[in-house]
Amino acid sequence: MALDAARGQAVLSAYDRRAGTTGGLYLLNLRFLDAPAVVVTPLATGLRPAGIDLRAEPDGARSLLAVRRHEDGSATVERYRLDGAILTHQGTTAGSLLCRANDVAFLDGERFLFTSSHGGCGWSAVIEDNVLGGRHGFVGLVENNDARVLIGGIGFANGLFPDPSHDRLTVAATREDALLVYRLSDPQAPPQRIAVPGGPDNLTMDPDGRLLVALHPSPFRLALHRYGWPGGAAAPTRIAAVGPAGTEILLDEDGQHFSAATVAVSWNGRLVIGSVTAPGLLVCGEAASGATGSSAPAEPPATR
C-alpha cells in the first residue's frame, strides 16, 4: 500500500496468493472511508504485484514502482506514471537478482532500492533460509537500469524505508524480529538493530516521524494461514509504531477479526491496514493523521 497523503488516496497492490490468480494495482480514495461500501479504481490488472512505492514528481504527476512476479518464478520491477486515475507504463527492470524481490522504494528520481527475501532463485535458497535458518536476504540498488547488491546477510529482507534527509535506511528483517537501520552514505557499516515483538513486514511513517510496522508474532501460525493448512484459519495481527521513545503497540489481536496484517498507513486519525489473505482492508481509529510511505500487499475491496 503506497499512500499519497497530499491527494488523499492510496495505491494498493493485490492478488489472491492462495488461488494463484492475477490481481493488479488499484486506486483507493481515502476520503470515502466512511461510506457504507468503499470502491477502488483498477489501474492495471492481470498482474501479480508485490511491493510498491509512489513518488511525487516536480510536474505534479506521480511515479510508481511495482515488483511484478511472473509464473516462471522470476520477477521484474515495473515503472509507471500516474496521472489522476490513468496509469502509463514507462519501463521494466529485469535480472536474476530480482527473482525474490519483495519490496521497492525510490532513492531519487532515477535510482531505487529493492529487498530480496532470499539469496537465490531456486527452492534450495528458500530451504536454506526458511528451514535451515540462513540469512541471505539482501538490499539491492538499481542505477541506470542495472541491479547490484548493496547490503547482504539479512534474515528475510522485507519492507524498507529510505530516509535520505537523515542519511538513514531502515530494513525489516522478518526472520530476525528486528529492524536494521543503515547509513545510506555508508551502507556497509554495521547497522543499528532495533528488536521488535514479531517478524516485521512492511514499513511506513506516521505524522510524528515514527515507523509504522506490521508484525507477525508467530511465523508458524502465519505459514499455516498463508498456505491454508490445517490449523491456519487465523494468524495474529500486530501493528506497532517505532520511534526514539521506543515501541508502542497500536493493534494486537489473535486474527479472528483480521488475520496476518502486512502493512498499515496512518490517515486522518485512522489506521488503514492490509493483510496477506484478507479480502478487504481494516480501518480503525488511532491518534495520528496523514502519513507517507510505501509497501506491499493489500487486497482490492476496501471494507471496514
Side-chain angles (χ1 to χ4, degrees), residues 20-48:
T21 55
T22 58
L25 302 170
Y26 305 85
L27 188 65
L28 169 65
N29 188 333
L30 293 167
R31 296 184 177 92
F32 293 155
L33 288 180
D34 284 330
V38 182
V39 179
V40 297
T41 302
L43 297 173
T45 57
L47 311 175
R48 292 181 176 86

Side-chain angles (χ1 to χ4, degrees), residues 69-131:
R69 293 171 176 162
H70 301 272
E71 290 187 23
D72 63 3
S74 65
T76 56
V77 175
E78 309 297 332
R79 182 164 183 151
Y80 301 90
R81 179 183 173 95
L82 179 62
D83 292 287
I86 305 299
L87 193 68
T88 305
H89 186 256
Q90 292 194 307
T92 298
T93 299
S96 60
L97 285 179
L98 295 169
C99 65
R100 295 288 178 182
N102 192 339
D103 200 9
V104 66
F106 282 103
L107 194 55
D108 52 39
E110 299 300 326
R111 301 178 299 162
F112 63 85
L113 301 170
F114 67 93
T115 53
S116 178
S117 55
H118 301 81
C121 301
W123 279 107
S124 61
V126 175
I127 293 171
E128 187 173 2
D129 284 4
N130 292 13
V131 178

